[in-house]
Amino acid sequence: MTTQAADLDAMGSLRRTHGCGSITRAQVGEEVVVAGWVHRRRDHGGVIFVDLRDRDGIVQVVFRPETSPESHDRAGSLRSEWVLLARGIVEARSAETVNSKMPTGEIEIDIQELRILNAATPPPFSIEEETEADEAVRLRHRLHDLRRPPLQRALAIRHQVARAMRESLSGQDFLEIETPMLARATPEGARDFLVPSRLQPGDFYALPQSPQIMKQLLMVAGLDRYYQMARCFRDEDQRADRQLEFTQVDLEMSFVGVEDVLEVLERVTVDACRAAGVELERPFRRMSFEDAMTRYGCDRPDTRILLELVEMTDIFETSGFKAFASAVEQGGIVKCLPIHDAEAISRSEIDRLEKLVRKELGARGLGWIRIDENGEWRSPIVKFLSDDEKGAIAERTEARPGSLLFFQADAFERANAILSRLRIDLGERLERTDGREWDALFVVDFPLFEADEKGRLGYVHQPFVAPLDEDLPKLDSDPISVRGTHYDVIMNGVELGSGSLRNHRPDVQRRILEVMGYTEAEMEKSFGFMLEALEVGAPPHGGFAFGFDRMAMVLAKADSLRDVIAFPKTQRGQDLLMHAPSAVDAGQLDELSIRVRPTEKG
RNA sequence: GGGGAAGUAGCUCAGAUUGGUUAGAGUACUGGCCUGUCACGCCAGAGGCCGCGGGUUCGAACCCCGUCUUCCCCGCCA
């Protein structure tokens, strides 16, 4: 659709004097010039009101035939989202016409001169605080969506947080250093985005998944303290909190231990949040990975939710209740989520929850016991339990009339994932929270290795994480129990970022790769230049990477990364506004020595 | 790769779990009227490949099969 031919004006020498949202009673009587978009128009035949909107806010401008017949006449043709420049006198509204719902509702501008700078096609949906438009529609019409206040606020918060983090890190003696976007493909980790090389036909660059290796090389090179607002790329399936391309506030520092890094992280996090108007309590709480999993079933707990899980595995080791006992026998666990005063959870609600965890998380079922007002145990599973088991359950969960107990008997990961999901769902719905708005904490002491189903060890985070000094001897004797120096910063149940000390000694790095089953040749192929770098005098070093988009999401109280990124991609990786990715000319492919295999899609 | 939800007017949605006239509403849009509205109001009008492709049927928005798109989740993402 194209715009109607309209009689348009040039700006001439007229310039804006105020943002729409910043005009108050203080300007009454002054002449002002405002510029923006027609938010709404109310034409009374005589007087015409236009709500004019810019980044700053909305102000009512008035066109009266008696003030300026010409402006009034032309205002009649205005439509939504047309672009105006208008000069007029700020007037106080009479008591009856004050609009208390608008920040600028006490004043209006009597327009003397109107310049229509541009017309506009009708917007696909109205530009409001809240929109009901489908997300696909919002993404296709991203320019209109970006005009909505929540998105404008989110981008402003994003800017403020970025500025504060740069300032904070500069103030702590970090240098901002850029690293290449055209980097080397890595065999490990996420799928790479590849970029074909014209000058080296048949070879490819890879867009960096993160600057991990490059920042370690900077430490070896003696730059001491580095940071970067780093664009990162991972060609993996997306989620509400994962985009193909995203931004990390990446940092690394030399001659430090865990405490030194955490001190920096705490300062940066506090400074960043303050820039978004959020004051965090210091010091941040610390929690071990083990503690987090035991009590919350999750390595990024939202500790504002007061519900906690209870360990039950030992009770059911030799139970007559086959469903639980066999889970334990197969190396799994039994855990319980007790909820007291749970009368509000109906039987049909329990069925709904069971269906949910079966479908979404692969639960085998959802065991539950309700203790009614008379102390009777109402439950489909209670008939399988011995008196001893019932006694132990009651004692550990502090069950009482009104309590509802949810059980999972499954593999460690799954049982915890399911109960953690229920904990968050029900904790929020029943408002079992401590009332704090913000909850920042460090989770520390992650295991270095995890075993796959065949018992082979792999790294939990990445292959360069240094072990805790005191666990170093166990690298040979009991590697699975070796704890890493890895740490996470968690806020409101969202992982803001993670980091660790790195292996600076080549012998330790090699030993860790050996434990994971790498042969000498594989080590050379995958990590050759890293291992070489450690040989040229690598200082002890460690660092961190904040998921900057996630920080903005949490601080803007958004539910999706797409609401804090100007031009995000859909779950299928498409940009619905600019239509990327797209086919390219045969000539372009030819230059790159690339031939595309035809697909069904064409 | 797998599971789920959705797809009807620009937008948000009805359209019986029972297939049957010309597919409706609100809003937005267009024209007219209106000098104190602020979700302005009143009158009139226009607007539809019922996501797409097959099939069943005398007849399909509706039933069946496939497919595409968006969102949520699992896998995946050090």
Side-chain angles (χ1 to χ4, degrees), chain A residues 154 157-158 161 269 272-280 438 491-492 496 548-558 564:
Chain A
I157 284 174
R158 205 183 152 106
V161 172
T269 308
C273 292
R274 184 174 294 144
V278 172
E279 204 56 43
L280 297 179
W438 303 100
M491 188 141 91
N492 294 4
L496 290 190
F548 181 63
D549 310 86
R550 282 188 190 175
M551 278 184 102
M553 180 177 88
V554 172
L555 290 169
K557 296 188 170 167
V564 298

Side-chain angles (χ1 to χ4, degrees), chain A residues 137-435:
Chain A
V137 174
R138 291 174 50 204
L139 290 171
R140 193 149 45 241
H141 303 280
R142 189 62 174 174
L143 302 184
H144 290 96
D145 202 29
L146 282 171
R147 286 178 184 168
R148 293 172 48 234
L151 289 242
Q152 300 231 328
R153 276 197 302 273
L155 292 179
I157 284 174
R158 205 183 152 106
H159 157 72
Q160 292 298 351
V161 172
R163 192 185 52 80
M165 292 180 91
R166 283 197 157 104
E167 224 164 72
S168 182
L169 287 163
S170 300
Q172 295 179 70
D173 208 25
F174 285 79
L175 303 183
E176 182 165 4
I177 301 170
E178 289 162 286
T179 52
M181 300 291 277
L182 297 175
R184 187 185 203 288
T186 51
E188 304 283 321
R191 203 173 286 115
D192 285 318
F193 278 99
L194 297 177
V195 181
S197 166
R198 178 180 58 85
L199 298 173
Q200 305 289 333
D203 284 353
F204 293 82
Y205 301 100
L207 302 181
Q209 297 171 25
S210 81
Q212 179 64 37
I213 289 172
M214 295 180 274
K215 70 177 173 179
Q216 288 192 242
L217 298 180
L218 288 173
M219 293 303 100
V220 179
L223 274 304
D224 206 280
R225 289 186 170 206
Y226 137 98
Y227 84 96
Q228 180 183 196
M229 303 289 295
R231 307 304 310 280
C232 304
F233 305 85
R234 293 177 192 174
D235 189 6
E236 295 291 346
D237 288 357
Q238 308 194 77
R239 289 283 196 285
D241 63 350
R242 275 169 20 198
Q243 281 271 308
L244 295 179
E245 53 179 312
F246 58 99
T247 304
Q248 287 185 347
V249 180
D250 190 48
L251 64 96
E252 195 78 4
M253 49 206 294
S254 297
F255 304 111
V256 290
V258 169
E259 289 305 318
D260 306 291
V261 184
L262 297 189
E263 171 66 23
V264 168
L265 297 181
E266 196 170 299
R267 283 177 62 178
V268 175
T269 308
V270 166
D271 289 343
C273 292
R274 184 174 294 144
V278 172
E279 204 56 43
L280 297 179
E281 276 176 42
R282 293 186 70 175
F284 292 178
R285 279 202 293 151
R286 303 277 181 94
M287 189 178 298
S288 71
F289 169 78
E290 195 183 345
D291 227 20
M293 292 308 292
T294 303
R295 292 169 60 193
Y296 305 103
C298 173
D299 63 0
R300 49 180 173 89
D302 185 340
T303 64
R304 297 171 306 169
I305 298 169
L306 297 165
L307 303 175
E308 293 195 20
L309 311 186
V310 179
E311 180 58 56
M312 297 263 159
T313 309
D314 55 314
I315 298 175
F316 292 100
E317 266 169 356
T318 57
S319 174
F321 184 20
K322 286 285 177 300
F324 283 15
S326 73
V328 180
E329 203 176 305
Q330 289 164 35
I333 59 168
V334 181
K335 277 177 103 169
C336 174
L337 171 68
I339 303 173
H340 303 303
D341 308 311
E343 290 86 352
I345 303 176
S346 65
R347 178 60 204 270
S348 66
E349 175 72 359
I350 295 174
D351 290 345
R352 194 191 64 81
L353 290 169
E354 172 162 12
K355 218 171 131 193
L356 178 98
V357 296
R358 272 179 189 275
K359 264 192 201 159
E360 296 206 349
L361 300 170
R364 292 175 192 164
L366 179 62
W368 57 272
I369 298 171
R370 187 195 283 285
I371 294 137
D372 73 13
E373 64 271 23
N374 303 316
E376 293 293 318
W377 289 35
R378 309 258 172 233
S379 160
I381 61 170
V382 75
K383 58 177 175 280
F384 303 112
L385 304 176
S386 70
D387 287 346
D388 280 356
E389 286 162 356
K390 286 166 71 173
I393 290 168
E395 189 192 335
R396 243 177 244 191
T397 61
E398 297 174 12
R400 56 177 195 249
S403 295
L404 177 58
L405 316 176
F406 288 110
F407 290 84
Q408 278 298 308
D410 211 320
F412 178 84
E413 289 292 339
R414 179 145 49 191
N416 278 312
I418 292 161
L419 290 177
S420 172
R421 170 71 174 268
L422 292 177
R423 172 182 171 269
I424 295 165
D425 243 47
L426 294 170
E428 285 176 352
R429 193 122 42 92
L430 300 174
E431 293 179 8
R432 300 296 166 85
T433 54
D434 65 11

Side-chain angles (χ1 to χ4, degrees), chain A residues 481-492:
Chain A
S481 75
V482 171
R483 288 166 300 167
T485 49
H486 186 95
Y487 30 81
D488 281 355
V489 173
I490 310 299
M491 188 141 91
N492 294 4

Side-chain angles (χ1 to χ4, degrees), chain A residues 88-160:
Chain A
I89 306 290
V90 179
E91 293 180 345
R93 296 205 207 175
S94 65
E96 317 85 72
T97 59
V98 163
N99 183 351
S100 58
K101 285 182 278 184
M102 270 174 95
T104 59
E106 287 190 66
I107 53 96
E108 62 195 10
I109 306 174
D110 187 34
I111 298 302
Q112 297 174 313
E113 182 183 359
L114 168 66
R115 297 197 183 181
I116 302 175
L117 302 181
N118 225 334
T121 52
F125 50 86
S126 65
I127 313 300
E128 303 290 344
E129 181 74 24
E130 301 288 336
T131 183
E132 288 180 326
D134 189 77
E135 185 136 14
V137 174
R138 291 174 50 204
L139 290 171
R140 193 149 45 241
H141 303 280
R142 189 62 174 174
L143 302 184
H144 290 96
D145 202 29
L146 282 171
R147 286 178 184 168
R148 293 172 48 234
L151 289 242
Q152 300 231 328
R153 276 197 302 273
L155 292 179
I157 284 174
R158 205 183 152 106
H159 157 72
Q160 292 298 351

